[in-house]
Amino acid sequence: MPHNIYLHSALVKSRQVDRSRPAEVKEANMYYLIECTVALFVSLLINIFVIAVFGAVFYKKTNMDVYKKCAESGSSYINILPKDNRTLDVDIFKGGVVIGCYFGTPALYIWAIGILAAGQSSTMTGTYSGQFVMEGFLNLTWSRFARVTLTRSLAIIPTVIVAAVQDVSNLSSMNDILNVLQSILLPFALIPILTFTSLKTLMHQFTNGIFGKLVGVLITLVVMAVNAYFVVDFVEHLGSVYLYILAGIILFLYLVFVIYLLWLSSVAAGISCLRLGQEGRFNHEVLRN
């Protein structure tokens, strides 16, 4: 969720902290760290639970195995499941159906409520992130109600239209495409934030240390590599030569742009360090004279 980085930044800016006092800023950073760590840890636990349940149900299963299990449980959604011996392939909707077959109908509704809650959470964070970005880049002076109405409408209305004219299977495929698009956007959030938090002229005494920079760069590279692998894997499953060619061209341009972004960030960091050095020499000369 690359847009959440902007959301967290906006939420931090909204806190009443005297930024002229380093001790108060340091204390606020500690509480921000605890807040984000707790939120991300809870999200991690939820994802571990989901993966564990799916692994227990889906591992080494074929479509026929699941079809027989759903037939025994009397599932009303059995018609959407194929009857062959290929490895089980599910999406969000079929995954919930299969869970209901193995753990009973309540599990199916628990899964549905969880997906609804996740969708609402994602929509709200995306909407608020867009709202804060619009305020910063476009300098909008609308009332809060007008901004929220516009951004929520832009987020929800297209989704409602797609849901009304398409079936559930197409919506599940659309979710996969959205995940791929968010993966592609990650470097445009991670690289600038690493650059900005490493600038002495911007962060002063709160600049990232050498250890923080190394860890940040390593984590960013790992996340980008994992997401690049899954993007390629997603394209391979589409099975069209023309899509391969198109994906190859887009991937090449994308990598060129990411390299350009890295170069631009390094140039900005170098200029900042040069200016800081010049200011230091100037101050030294003033004090000496």
Side-chain angles (χ1 to χ4, degrees):
M1 297 294 179
H3 52 273
N4 280 345
I5 293 177
Y6 298 102
L7 176 62
H8 290 170
S9 300
L11 294 177
V12 168
K13 286 183 62 178
S14 66
R15 307 294 171 84
Q16 297 298 322
V17 178
D18 185 0
R19 290 170 175 79
S20 63
R21 300 177 57 187
E24 191 169 339
V25 174
K26 186 176 182 179
E27 181 183 13
N29 285 340
M30 179 187 68
Y31 287 114
Y32 297 147
L33 176 63
I34 294 174
E35 180 183 13
C36 291
T37 301
V38 171
L40 292 174
F41 182 69
V42 172
S43 299
L44 175 64
L45 288 180
I46 294 174
N47 281 279
I48 289 175
F49 294 156
V50 172
I51 292 174
V53 172
F54 273 51
V57 175
F58 300 155
Y59 185 62
K60 290 186 177 180
K61 295 292 193 308
T62 65
N63 290 324
M64 182 57 71
D65 294 333
V66 174
Y67 183 86
K68 291 179 180 178
K69 184 66 177 179
C70 290
E72 294 175 1
S73 64
S75 174
S76 58
Y77 299 99
I78 192 172
N79 293 328
I80 69 169
L81 300 173
K83 294 181 289 185
D84 53 53
N85 289 318
R86 290 184 298 176
T87 302
L88 178 64
D89 185 19
V90 298
D91 49 32
I92 290 179
F93 178 59
K94 290 182 181 178
V97 172
V98 175
I99 288 176
C101 295
Y102 277 84
F103 298 108
T105 304
L108 174 61
Y109 289 103
I110 292 173
W111 173 251
I113 294 172
I115 292 297
L116 178 62
Q120 288 299 309
S121 175
S122 179
T123 301
M124 286 188 287
T125 55
T127 300
Y128 283 123
S129 300
Q131 175 185 328
F132 289 125
V133 170
M134 289 171 66
E135 290 177 4
F137 287 106
L138 302 180
N139 195 24
L140 294 179
T141 57
W142 299 355
S143 66
R144 186 175 299 274
F145 176 79
R147 290 198 304 266
V148 171
T149 302
L150 174 64
T151 53
R152 291 286 286 176
S153 298
L154 291 175
I156 293 176
I157 292 177
T159 305
V160 172
I161 294 174
V162 173
V165 300
Q166 298 290 337
D167 56 27
V168 177
S169 60
N170 290 331
L171 291 178
S172 297
S173 301
M174 185 176 68
N175 180 73
D176 296 336
I177 296 175
L178 289 175
N179 287 330
V180 170
L181 291 176
Q182 288 188 121
S183 301
I184 293 174
L185 292 174
L186 271 173
F188 303 100
L190 293 177
I191 294 175
I193 199 170
L194 275 176
T195 302
F196 295 147
T197 55
S198 300
L199 294 178
K200 186 74 175 179
T201 53
L202 182 65
M203 302 299 295
H204 303 292
Q205 69 185 80
F206 300 102
T207 308
N208 290 335
I210 298 297
F211 179 76
K213 292 177 183 177
L214 290 175
V215 172
V217 169
L218 288 175
I219 292 176
T220 299
L221 291 176
V222 169
V223 170
M224 290 169 57
V226 170
N227 282 280
Y229 168 79
F230 282 114
V231 169
V232 174
D233 182 70
F234 177 80
V235 173
E236 286 181 351
H237 279 80
L238 297 178
S240 173
V241 176
Y242 296 106
L243 287 176
Y244 289 157
I245 297 174
L246 178 62
I249 295 173
I250 294 175
L251 182 61
F252 173 75
L253 296 175
Y254 171 70
L255 290 175
V256 170
F257 191 79
V258 170
I259 293 172
Y260 169 74
L261 190 63
L262 286 168
W263 175 80
L264 198 64
S265 299
S266 63
V267 169
I271 293 175
S272 177
C273 291
L274 180 62
R275 288 177 177 174
L276 183 63
Q278 291 174 345
E279 290 176 2
R281 287 194 297 270
F282 176 77
N283 293 334
H284 177 73
E285 291 293 335
V286 171
L287 290 174
R288 190 177 64 180
N289 293 333

PDB file of all heavy atoms in Angstrom, residues 191-222:
ATOM      1  N   ILE A 191      11.579   5.153  -2.522  1.00  0.00           N
ATOM      2  CA  ILE A 191      12.845   5.822  -2.845  1.00  0.00           C
ATOM      3  C   ILE A 191      12.843   7.286  -2.390  1.00  0.00           C
ATOM      4  O   ILE A 191      13.798   7.733  -1.739  1.00  0.00           O
ATOM      5  CB  ILE A 191      13.149   5.697  -4.349  1.00  0.00           C
ATOM      6  CG1 ILE A 191      13.393   4.229  -4.699  1.00  0.00           C
ATOM      7  CG2 ILE A 191      14.368   6.536  -4.729  1.00  0.00           C
ATOM      8  CD1 ILE A 191      13.588   3.969  -6.170  1.00  0.00           C
ATOM      9  N   PRO A 192      11.800   8.073  -2.690  1.00  0.00           N
ATOM     10  CA  PRO A 192      11.820   9.461  -2.195  1.00  0.00           C
ATOM     11  C   PRO A 192      11.848   9.577  -0.673  1.00  0.00           C
ATOM     12  O   PRO A 192      12.549  10.438  -0.135  1.00  0.00           O
ATOM     13  CB  PRO A 192      10.520  10.056  -2.777  1.00  0.00           C
ATOM     14  CG  PRO A 192      10.221   9.232  -3.974  1.00  0.00           C
ATOM     15  CD  PRO A 192      10.663   7.848  -3.612  1.00  0.00           C
ATOM     16  N   ILE A 193      11.109   8.703   0.011  1.00  0.00           N
ATOM     17  CA  ILE A 193      11.075   8.841   1.474  1.00  0.00           C
ATOM     18  C   ILE A 193      12.420   8.483   2.087  1.00  0.00           C
ATOM     19  O   ILE A 193      12.854   9.083   3.080  1.00  0.00           O
ATOM     20  CB  ILE A 193       9.933   7.982   2.081  1.00  0.00           C
ATOM     21  CG1 ILE A 193       9.603   8.484   3.485  1.00  0.00           C
ATOM     22  CG2 ILE A 193      10.312   6.512   2.145  1.00  0.00           C
ATOM     23  CD1 ILE A 193       8.356   7.872   4.069  1.00  0.00           C
ATOM     24  N   LEU A 194      13.141   7.517   1.481  1.00  0.00           N
ATOM     25  CA  LEU A 194      14.496   7.213   1.955  1.00  0.00           C
ATOM     26  C   LEU A 194      15.428   8.394   1.699  1.00  0.00           C
ATOM     27  O   LEU A 194      16.291   8.715   2.527  1.00  0.00           O
ATOM     28  CB  LEU A 194      15.024   5.963   1.246  1.00  0.00           C
ATOM     29  CG  LEU A 194      14.652   4.615   1.854  1.00  0.00           C
ATOM     30  CD1 LEU A 194      15.162   3.478   0.969  1.00  0.00           C
ATOM     31  CD2 LEU A 194      15.232   4.476   3.252  1.00  0.00           C
ATOM     32  N   THR A 195      15.238   9.035   0.559  1.00  0.00           N
ATOM     33  CA  THR A 195      16.085  10.181   0.211  1.00  0.00           C
ATOM     34  C   THR A 195      15.823  11.353   1.149  1.00  0.00           C
ATOM     35  O   THR A 195      16.769  11.933   1.713  1.00  0.00           O
ATOM     36  CB  THR A 195      15.825  10.608  -1.242  1.00  0.00           C
ATOM     37  OG1 THR A 195      16.071   9.503  -2.110  1.00  0.00           O
ATOM     38  CG2 THR A 195      16.731  11.765  -1.632  1.00  0.00           C
ATOM     39  N   PHE A 196      14.559  11.691   1.339  1.00  0.00           N
ATOM     40  CA  PHE A 196      14.217  12.849   2.157  1.00  0.00           C
ATOM     41  C   PHE A 196      14.642  12.658   3.614  1.00  0.00           C
ATOM     42  O   PHE A 196      15.124  13.600   4.248  1.00  0.00           O
ATOM     43  CB  PHE A 196      12.718  13.136   2.085  1.00  0.00           C
ATOM     44  CG  PHE A 196      12.253  13.547   0.718  1.00  0.00           C
ATOM     45  CD1 PHE A 196      10.990  13.205   0.273  1.00  0.00           C
ATOM     46  CD2 PHE A 196      13.082  14.273  -0.120  1.00  0.00           C
ATOM     47  CE1 PHE A 196      10.561  13.581  -0.993  1.00  0.00           C
ATOM     48  CE2 PHE A 196      12.673  14.653  -1.376  1.00  0.00           C
ATOM     49  CZ  PHE A 196      11.408  14.306  -1.822  1.00  0.00           C
ATOM     50  N   THR A 197      14.452  11.457   4.155  1.00  0.00           N
ATOM     51  CA  THR A 197      14.811  11.227   5.559  1.00  0.00           C
ATOM     52  C   THR A 197      16.317  11.094   5.755  1.00  0.00           C
ATOM     53  O   THR A 197      16.784  11.021   6.891  1.00  0.00           O
ATOM     54  CB  THR A 197      14.129   9.953   6.092  1.00  0.00           C
ATOM     55  OG1 THR A 197      14.449   8.838   5.238  1.00  0.00           O
ATOM     56  CG2 THR A 197      12.631  10.127   6.138  1.00  0.00           C
ATOM     57  N   SER A 198      17.074  11.068   4.647  1.00  0.00           N
ATOM     58  CA  SER A 198      18.536  11.004   4.742  1.00  0.00           C
ATOM     59  C   SER A 198      19.192  12.352   4.477  1.00  0.00           C
ATOM     60  O   SER A 198      20.416  12.447   4.491  1.00  0.00           O
ATOM     61  CB  SER A 198      19.083   9.959   3.753  1.00  0.00           C
ATOM     62  OG  SER A 198      18.567   8.671   4.037  1.00  0.00           O
ATOM     63  N   LEU A 199      18.381  13.385   4.218  1.00  0.00           N
ATOM     64  CA  LEU A 199      18.918  14.713   3.945  1.00  0.00           C
ATOM     65  C   LEU A 199      19.137  15.484   5.239  1.00  0.00           C
ATOM     66  O   LEU A 199      18.199  15.751   5.986  1.00  0.00           O
ATOM     67  CB  LEU A 199      17.959  15.493   3.033  1.00  0.00           C
ATOM     68  CG  LEU A 199      17.777  14.957   1.617  1.00  0.00           C
ATOM     69  CD1 LEU A 199      16.773  15.806   0.851  1.00  0.00           C
ATOM     70  CD2 LEU A 199      19.100  14.911   0.879  1.00  0.00           C
ATOM     71  N   LYS A 200      20.381  15.854   5.490  1.00  0.00           N
ATOM     72  CA  LYS A 200      20.715  16.577   6.711  1.00  0.00           C
ATOM     73  C   LYS A 200      20.057  17.941   6.749  1.00  0.00           C
ATOM     74  O   LYS A 200      19.617  18.411   7.815  1.00  0.00           O
ATOM     75  CB  LYS A 200      22.247  16.736   6.795  1.00  0.00           C
ATOM     76  CG  LYS A 200      22.744  17.340   8.101  1.00  0.00           C
ATOM     77  CD  LYS A 200      22.659  16.348   9.232  1.00  0.00           C
ATOM     78  CE  LYS A 200      23.276  16.904  10.513  1.00  0.00           C
ATOM     79  NZ  LYS A 200      23.188  15.947  11.636  1.00  0.00           N
ATOM     80  N   THR A 201      19.960  18.606   5.593  1.00  0.00           N
ATOM     81  CA  THR A 201      19.370  19.938   5.552  1.00  0.00           C
ATOM     82  C   THR A 201      17.876  19.917   5.841  1.00  0.00           C
ATOM     83  O   THR A 201      17.306  20.936   6.238  1.00  0.00           O
ATOM     84  CB  THR A 201      19.591  20.569   4.164  1.00  0.00           C
ATOM     85  OG1 THR A 201      19.119  19.670   3.156  1.00  0.00           O
ATOM     86  CG2 THR A 201      21.061  20.839   3.927  1.00  0.00           C
ATOM     87  N   LEU A 202      17.240  18.766   5.650  1.00  0.00           N
ATOM     88  CA  LEU A 202      15.798  18.656   5.876  1.00  0.00           C
ATOM     89  C   LEU A 202      15.482  18.091   7.259  1.00  0.00           C
ATOM     90  O   LEU A 202      14.585  18.573   7.945  1.00  0.00           O
ATOM     91  CB  LEU A 202      15.181  17.757   4.802  1.00  0.00           C
ATOM     92  CG  LEU A 202      13.661  17.572   4.847  1.00  0.00           C
ATOM     93  CD1 LEU A 202      12.961  18.896   4.581  1.00  0.00           C
ATOM     94  CD2 LEU A 202      13.218  16.530   3.823  1.00  0.00           C
ATOM     95  N   MET A 203      16.239  17.068   7.669  1.00  0.00           N
ATOM     96  CA  MET A 203      15.931  16.356   8.910  1.00  0.00           C
ATOM     97  C   MET A 203      16.773  16.814  10.097  1.00  0.00           C
ATOM     98  O   MET A 203      16.448  16.492  11.244  1.00  0.00           O
ATOM     99  CB  MET A 203      16.132  14.849   8.698  1.00  0.00           C
ATOM    100  CG  MET A 203      15.295  14.245   7.579  1.00  0.00           C
ATOM    101  SD  MET A 203      13.533  14.415   7.855  1.00  0.00           S
ATOM    102  CE  MET A 203      13.307  13.405   9.313  1.00  0.00           C
ATOM    103  N   HIS A 204      17.889  17.508   9.821  1.00  0.00           N
ATOM    104  CA  HIS A 204      18.778  17.997  10.881  1.00  0.00           C
ATOM    105  C   HIS A 204      19.238  16.831  11.767  1.00  0.00           C
ATOM    106  O   HIS A 204      19.776  15.854  11.260  1.00  0.00           O
ATOM    107  CB  HIS A 204      18.082  19.094  11.682  1.00  0.00           C
ATOM    108  CG  HIS A 204      17.627  20.238  10.828  1.00  0.00           C
ATOM    109  ND1 HIS A 204      18.490  21.112  10.200  1.00  0.00           N
ATOM    110  CD2 HIS A 204      16.369  20.647  10.474  1.00  0.00           C
ATOM    111  CE1 HIS A 204      17.824  22.003   9.503  1.00  0.00           C
ATOM    112  NE2 HIS A 204      16.532  21.758   9.649  1.00  0.00           N
ATOM    113  N   GLN A 205      19.000  16.897  13.063  1.00  0.00           N
ATOM    114  CA  GLN A 205      19.516  15.860  13.955  1.00  0.00           C
ATOM    115  C   GLN A 205      18.730  14.554  13.859  1.00  0.00           C
ATOM    116  O   GLN A 205      19.143  13.534  14.419  1.00  0.00           O
ATOM    117  CB  GLN A 205      19.487  16.351  15.398  1.00  0.00           C
ATOM    118  CG  GLN A 205      18.084  16.513  15.985  1.00  0.00           C
ATOM    119  CD  GLN A 205      18.115  17.109  17.373  1.00  0.00           C
ATOM    120  OE1 GLN A 205      18.242  18.317  17.541  1.00  0.00           O
ATOM    121  NE2 GLN A 205      18.021  16.264  18.379  1.00  0.00           N
ATOM    122  N   PHE A 206      17.611  14.543  13.156  1.00  0.00           N
ATOM    123  CA  PHE A 206      16.800  13.331  13.014  1.00  0.00           C
ATOM    124  C   PHE A 206      17.077  12.605  11.694  1.00  0.00           C
ATOM    125  O   PHE A 206      16.302  11.758  11.271  1.00  0.00           O
ATOM    126  CB  PHE A 206      15.318  13.682  13.117  1.00  0.00           C
ATOM    127  CG  PHE A 206      14.942  14.306  14.425  1.00  0.00           C
ATOM    128  CD1 PHE A 206      14.743  15.680  14.526  1.00  0.00           C
ATOM    129  CD2 PHE A 206      14.810  13.539  15.576  1.00  0.00           C
ATOM    130  CE1 PHE A 206      14.402  16.271  15.732  1.00  0.00           C
ATOM    131  CE2 PHE A 206      14.481  14.120  16.786  1.00  0.00           C
ATOM    132  CZ  PHE A 206      14.274  15.492  16.864  1.00  0.00           C
ATOM    133  N   THR A 207      18.175  12.936  11.054  1.00  0.00           N
ATOM    134  CA  THR A 207      18.546  12.285   9.797  1.00  0.00           C
ATOM    135  C   THR A 207      18.851  10.808  10.038  1.00  0.00           C
ATOM    136  O   THR A 207      19.370  10.431  11.094  1.00  0.00           O
ATOM    137  CB  THR A 207      19.786  12.976   9.203  1.00  0.00           C
ATOM    138  OG1 THR A 207      19.548  14.376   9.123  1.00  0.00           O
ATOM    139  CG2 THR A 207      20.088  12.425   7.812  1.00  0.00           C
ATOM    140  N   ASN A 208      18.553   9.976   9.059  1.00  0.00           N
ATOM    141  CA  ASN A 208      18.874   8.553   9.161  1.00  0.00           C
ATOM    142  C   ASN A 208      20.375   8.353   9.363  1.00  0.00           C
ATOM    143  O   ASN A 208      21.190   8.997   8.683  1.00  0.00           O
ATOM    144  CB  ASN A 208      18.455   7.810   7.879  1.00  0.00           C
ATOM    145  CG  ASN A 208      16.955   7.716   7.730  1.00  0.00           C
ATOM    146  OD1 ASN A 208      16.215   7.756   8.715  1.00  0.00           O
ATOM    147  ND2 ASN A 208      16.490   7.591   6.500  1.00  0.00           N
ATOM    148  N   GLY A 209      20.722   7.452  10.270  1.00  0.00           N
ATOM    149  CA  GLY A 209      22.120   7.082  10.445  1.00  0.00           C
ATOM    150  C   GLY A 209      22.564   6.091   9.377  1.00  0.00           C
ATOM    151  O   GLY A 209      21.775   5.657   8.532  1.00  0.00           O
ATOM    152  N   ILE A 210      23.844   5.710   9.415  1.00  0.00           N
ATOM    153  CA  ILE A 210      24.373   4.761   8.431  1.00  0.00           C
ATOM    154  C   ILE A 210      23.630   3.433   8.510  1.00  0.00           C
ATOM    155  O   ILE A 210      23.228   2.857   7.483  1.00  0.00           O
ATOM    156  CB  ILE A 210      25.880   4.536   8.661  1.00  0.00           C
ATOM    157  CG1 ILE A 210      26.647   5.846   8.481  1.00  0.00           C
ATOM    158  CG2 ILE A 210      26.405   3.470   7.697  1.00  0.00           C
ATOM    159  CD1 ILE A 210      26.552   6.422   7.092  1.00  0.00           C
ATOM    160  N   PHE A 211      23.398   2.939   9.719  1.00  0.00           N
ATOM    161  CA  PHE A 211      22.691   1.665   9.888  1.00  0.00           C
ATOM    162  C   PHE A 211      21.266   1.760   9.362  1.00  0.00           C
ATOM    163  O   PHE A 211      20.784   0.869   8.657  1.00  0.00           O
ATOM    164  CB  PHE A 211      22.687   1.265  11.362  1.00  0.00           C
ATOM    165  CG  PHE A 211      21.956  -0.026  11.634  1.00  0.00           C
ATOM    166  CD1 PHE A 211      22.528  -1.252  11.318  1.00  0.00           C
ATOM    167  CD2 PHE A 211      20.677  -0.012  12.187  1.00  0.00           C
ATOM    168  CE1 PHE A 211      21.855  -2.445  11.559  1.00  0.00           C
ATOM    169  CE2 PHE A 211      19.994  -1.188  12.428  1.00  0.00           C
ATOM    170  CZ  PHE A 211      20.603  -2.400  12.122  1.00  0.00           C
ATOM    171  N   GLY A 212      20.579   2.860   9.685  1.00  0.00           N
ATOM    172  CA  GLY A 212      19.212   3.045   9.201  1.00  0.00           C
ATOM    173  C   GLY A 212      19.143   3.117   7.693  1.00  0.00           C
ATOM    174  O   GLY A 212      18.224   2.570   7.072  1.00  0.00           O
ATOM    175  N   LYS A 213      20.121   3.784   7.074  1.00  0.00           N
ATOM    176  CA  LYS A 213      20.149   3.875   5.618  1.00  0.00           C
ATOM    177  C   LYS A 213      20.343   2.504   4.987  1.00  0.00           C
ATOM    178  O   LYS A 213      19.660   2.136   4.012  1.00  0.00           O
ATOM    179  CB  LYS A 213      21.256   4.820   5.173  1.00  0.00           C
ATOM    180  CG  LYS A 213      21.024   6.276   5.540  1.00  0.00           C
ATOM    181  CD  LYS A 213      22.211   7.127   5.122  1.00  0.00           C
ATOM    182  CE  LYS A 213      22.012   8.582   5.562  1.00  0.00           C
ATOM    183  NZ  LYS A 213      23.191   9.421   5.224  1.00  0.00           N
ATOM    184  N   LEU A 214      21.291   1.724   5.533  1.00  0.00           N
ATOM    185  CA  LEU A 214      21.559   0.391   4.977  1.00  0.00           C
ATOM    186  C   LEU A 214      20.340  -0.513   5.098  1.00  0.00           C
ATOM    187  O   LEU A 214      19.964  -1.199   4.142  1.00  0.00           O
ATOM    188  CB  LEU A 214      22.768  -0.236   5.687  1.00  0.00           C
ATOM    189  CG  LEU A 214      24.130   0.388   5.389  1.00  0.00           C
ATOM    190  CD1 LEU A 214      25.211  -0.258   6.248  1.00  0.00           C
ATOM    191  CD2 LEU A 214      24.473   0.245   3.914  1.00  0.00           C
ATOM    192  N   VAL A 215      19.723  -0.513   6.279  1.00  0.00           N
ATOM    193  CA  VAL A 215      18.533  -1.348   6.481  1.00  0.00           C
ATOM    194  C   VAL A 215      17.404  -0.897   5.554  1.00  0.00           C
ATOM    195  O   VAL A 215      16.724  -1.722   4.927  1.00  0.00           O
ATOM    196  CB  VAL A 215      18.080  -1.287   7.959  1.00  0.00           C
ATOM    197  CG1 VAL A 215      16.736  -1.991   8.132  1.00  0.00           C
ATOM    198  CG2 VAL A 215      19.122  -1.934   8.855  1.00  0.00           C
ATOM    199  N   GLY A 216      17.211   0.411   5.457  1.00  0.00           N
ATOM    200  CA  GLY A 216      16.153   0.931   4.586  1.00  0.00           C
ATOM    201  C   GLY A 216      16.368   0.561   3.133  1.00  0.00           C
ATOM    202  O   GLY A 216      15.433   0.150   2.431  1.00  0.00           O
ATOM    203  N   VAL A 217      17.604   0.688   2.661  1.00  0.00           N
ATOM    204  CA  VAL A 217      17.914   0.346   1.269  1.00  0.00           C
ATOM    205  C   VAL A 217      17.724  -1.148   1.024  1.00  0.00           C
ATOM    206  O   VAL A 217      17.140  -1.555   0.006  1.00  0.00           O
ATOM    207  CB  VAL A 217      19.349   0.779   0.912  1.00  0.00           C
ATOM    208  CG1 VAL A 217      19.771   0.196  -0.437  1.00  0.00           C
ATOM    209  CG2 VAL A 217      19.452   2.291   0.870  1.00  0.00           C
ATOM    210  N   LEU A 218      18.190  -1.982   1.948  1.00  0.00           N
ATOM    211  CA  LEU A 218      18.048  -3.437   1.787  1.00  0.00           C
ATOM    212  C   LEU A 218      16.575  -3.851   1.766  1.00  0.00           C
ATOM    213  O   LEU A 218      16.157  -4.652   0.926  1.00  0.00           O
ATOM    214  CB  LEU A 218      18.797  -4.167   2.905  1.00  0.00           C
ATOM    215  CG  LEU A 218      20.323  -4.133   2.834  1.00  0.00           C
ATOM    216  CD1 LEU A 218      20.929  -4.801   4.064  1.00  0.00           C
ATOM    217  CD2 LEU A 218      20.813  -4.828   1.559  1.00  0.00           C
ATOM    218  N   ILE A 219      15.798  -3.313   2.697  1.00  0.00           N
ATOM    219  CA  ILE A 219      14.366  -3.650   2.738  1.00  0.00           C
ATOM    220  C   ILE A 219      13.679  -3.194   1.458  1.00  0.00           C
ATOM    221  O   ILE A 219      12.862  -3.920   0.871  1.00  0.00           O
ATOM    222  CB  ILE A 219      13.698  -3.005   3.971  1.00  0.00           C
ATOM    223  CG1 ILE A 219      14.212  -3.659   5.252  1.00  0.00           C
ATOM    224  CG2 ILE A 219      12.180  -3.132   3.890  1.00  0.00           C
ATOM    225  CD1 ILE A 219      13.680  -3.021   6.514  1.00  0.00           C
ATOM    226  N   THR A 220      14.019  -1.983   0.988  1.00  0.00           N
ATOM    227  CA  THR A 220      13.422  -1.467  -0.245  1.00  0.00           C
ATOM    228  C   THR A 220      13.761  -2.356  -1.436  1.00  0.00           C
ATOM    229  O   THR A 220      12.887  -2.687  -2.249  1.00  0.00           O
ATOM    230  CB  THR A 220      13.917  -0.032  -0.511  1.00  0.00           C
ATOM    231  OG1 THR A 220      13.523   0.807   0.584  1.00  0.00           O
ATOM    232  CG2 THR A 220      13.325   0.518  -1.793  1.00  0.00           C
ATOM    233  N   LEU A 221      15.028  -2.780  -1.538  1.00  0.00           N
ATOM    234  CA  LEU A 221      15.435  -3.635  -2.655  1.00  0.00           C
ATOM    235  C   LEU A 221      14.735  -4.985  -2.599  1.00  0.00           C
ATOM    236  O   LEU A 221      14.296  -5.515  -3.633  1.00  0.00           O
ATOM    237  CB  LEU A 221      16.959  -3.826  -2.634  1.00  0.00           C
ATOM    238  CG  LEU A 221      17.794  -2.592  -2.965  1.00  0.00           C
ATOM    239  CD1 LEU A 221      19.278  -2.894  -2.820  1.00  0.00           C
ATOM    240  CD2 LEU A 221      17.500  -2.096  -4.377  1.00  0.00           C
ATOM    241  N   VAL A 222      14.616  -5.560  -1.391  1.00  0.00           N
ATOM    242  CA  VAL A 222      13.944  -6.856  -1.254  1.00  0.00           C
ATOM    243  C   VAL A 222      12.472  -6.745  -1.644  1.00  0.00           C
ATOM    244  O   VAL A 222      11.938  -7.578  -2.403  1.00  0.00           O
ATOM    245  CB  VAL A 222      14.081  -7.394   0.193  1.00  0.00           C
ATOM    246  CG1 VAL A 222      13.173  -8.600   0.404  1.00  0.00           C
ATOM    247  CG2 VAL A 222      15.516  -7.781   0.480  1.00  0.00           C
TER     248      VAL A 222
END
